[in-house]
Amino acid sequence: MSQLTKYIIALSNLYGMVHKDKVVEIYNNQNEDQVKLAYVEAYLNNRSKELEDAFVLTHKDYFVMET
């Protein structure tokens, strides 16, 4: 599981839902290797099995924790 996937899952758990821009902002503030918005958008367009297994859904520009 990639570091970015872990961040998306953790932030979705923490906030309930998190905007793609906030994922990029938090990830880039805490890591040397920076991600671009387009990379996070790819997660929105092609949801991974890892996100599904963690009950993280996507809605428009948000990652949402399934409740």
Side-chain angles (χ1 to χ4, degrees):
M1 182 181 304
S2 75
Q3 186 74 2
L4 181 57
T5 302
K6 291 177 184 177
Y7 265 78
I8 291 169
I9 292 168
L11 292 170
S12 298
N13 279 312
L14 180 63
Y15 295 117
M17 77 180 209
V18 61
H19 193 270
K20 63 183 180 180
D21 293 336
K22 186 55 78 175
V23 172
V24 172
E25 177 186 336
I26 292 172
Y27 186 92
N28 287 342
N29 282 334
Q30 297 181 357
N31 294 280
E32 263 187 51
D33 60 319
Q34 304 289 289
V35 296
K36 299 207 181 281
L37 181 59
Y39 192 63
V40 174
E41 287 173 339
Y43 277 80
L44 287 169
N45 297 328
N46 302 307
R47 232 175 46 172
S48 73
K49 176 81 168 115
E50 293 167 329
L51 292 181
E52 288 180 13
D53 290 346
F55 304 103
V56 175
L57 308 173
T58 57
H59 178 72
K60 297 186 181 181
D61 290 340
Y62 290 86
F63 294 97
V64 182
M65 175 52 73
E66 182 181 356
T67 57

